[in-house]
Amino acid sequence: QHHAYDVLLKHIEDKQASVNGFANLIDKMSESALSEETKNLKQKDEQIQQRYKDLLNNAHDKQARLLEAVDLAERLSEITGPLDSWLSQAEKKLVPLAKVPTTVDKAKSQESAQHQLANELDSQQAAVDDVIALTPMLCTLVSVDDAAIVEQQSRNLAGRHEALRANLATMQEAMS
């Protein structure tokens, strides 16, 4: 999309010569026209100049929004990839912690592992918060379909993090 906007912007900027040529033509025609015709020609020239400026400004705005969306998507991706991987590993770590310990040593080991996982969960909270903060910003810049996908991914990651926290809290409570 970025390349497409660059091409569009170049195409619009190339039209500046045509707009200027039309303005020169109107100036020449105005010299030999009646005052009413001159006024109409000048109005047409102003309208064309304004439409061109609006078109150019809109193209620049869209390009800036696209660059912002790309930046936000990259930042979100840098967070979600490692977070998703960590969540998968943490979910695997949680499975053996759900087993009922048969000895005091196993109970102490499980309690230590639960405490360590709780610390890891706390350390990943900032990443979850970042995902939650970046998601609405990105969603305002992308299509409705893309926004739905980004929102779903964000909810999924936050939900998995919260489920881990809830399951761990239940296990810790059961061990007490």
Side-chain angles (χ1 to χ4, degrees), residues 11-21 49 52 56:
H11 181 71
I12 291 170
E13 289 171 349
D14 287 347
K15 295 300 178 193
Q16 179 67 49
S18 297
V19 171
N20 291 342
Q49 293 286 346
Y52 177 77
L56 190 59

Side-chain angles (χ1 to χ4, degrees), residues 140-153:
T140 62
L141 299 172
V142 298
S143 71
V144 173
D145 293 338
D146 289 342
I149 292 168
V150 170
E151 286 175 342
Q152 179 60 41
Q153 181 186 30

Side-chain angles (χ1 to χ4, degrees), residues 50-113:
Q50 187 58 48
R51 286 175 53 200
Y52 177 77
K53 286 177 188 174
D54 291 345
L55 180 64
L56 190 59
N57 288 338
N58 286 339
H60 281 291
D61 288 346
K62 286 183 180 183
Q63 186 178 36
R65 287 174 52 98
L66 176 63
L67 292 173
E68 185 179 355
V70 168
D71 179 55
L72 286 170
E74 287 174 353
R75 287 174 47 200
L76 193 60
S77 179
E78 288 171 358
I79 297 168
T80 58
L83 180 60
D84 182 52
S85 176
W86 179 84
L87 284 167
S88 294
Q89 292 172 358
E91 288 163 345
K92 289 176 185 172
K93 288 180 185 179
L94 193 64
V95 172
L97 298 179
K99 296 179 181 175
V100 177
T102 55
T103 67
V104 173
D105 289 339
K106 285 184 181 179
K108 287 181 181 179
S109 175
Q110 270 189 335
E111 188 175 339
S112 174

Side-chain angles (χ1 to χ4, degrees), residues 118-136:
N119 289 339
E120 289 179 32
L121 272 167
D122 291 341
S123 73
Q124 291 297 321
Q125 185 64 50
V128 173
D129 292 343
D130 288 346
V131 168
I132 291 169
L134 289 173
T135 296

Side-chain angles (χ1 to χ4, degrees), residues 32-48:
S32 63
L34 301 173
S35 66
E36 184 64 31
E37 290 174 345
T38 301
K39 182 179 175 183
N40 288 340
L41 288 171
K42 292 286 185 187
Q43 285 177 341
K44 285 289 184 191
D45 181 41
E46 289 172 7
Q47 289 173 353
I48 290 170

